[in-house]
Amino acid sequence: MRLSRPRVLLRAVLLLVGGAFMLVRAWQAWDGARTPGGDPVLLQRIALVEALVGVLALVAAGVALLSLRRRRRTHTLRLDDLDRR
């Protein structure tokens, strides 16, 4: 199933926003791990997971945007090659 260009663009924008949001949340959790009180190891692990999810979302958005490029159409089946045998 192929998605239309506007839908792919919408998904890429949503992934960019979500990835940026997760990176901000990771930064906040990392700062929270340095303040007294709470469990710093747990907050660091949460920050790491949120950062990984954010980076994954940004990579997925990049792949979605790369899929919007126009490419030349190539034909995979060439019938004239079969006649030469």
Side-chain angles (χ1 to χ4, degrees):
M1 180 176 110
R2 289 184 49 136
L3 293 175
S4 63
R5 289 179 66 82
R7 284 187 181 184
V8 173
L9 189 60
L10 176 66
R11 285 184 185 204
V13 168
L14 290 175
L15 283 167
L16 283 171
V17 170
F21 175 75
M22 290 306 293
L23 289 176
V24 168
R25 293 279 305 189
W27 183 264
Q28 290 172 348
W30 187 261
D31 280 343
R34 287 191 259 159
T35 59
D39 189 8
V41 176
L42 178 65
L43 288 174
Q44 287 176 349
R45 288 180 181 169
I46 289 172
L48 178 65
V49 169
E50 287 176 342
L52 288 174
V53 169
V55 168
L56 181 64
L58 293 178
V59 168
V63 170
L65 289 174
L66 283 176
S67 73
L68 291 175
R69 292 181 303 150
R70 300 245 183 222
R71 292 182 291 277
R72 283 187 46 203
R73 190 169 188 181
T74 58
H75 299 285
T76 56
L77 178 63
R78 298 174 197 264
L79 296 177
D80 59 341
D81 290 342
L82 294 175
D83 294 336
R84 294 181 187 164
R85 290 184 183 181

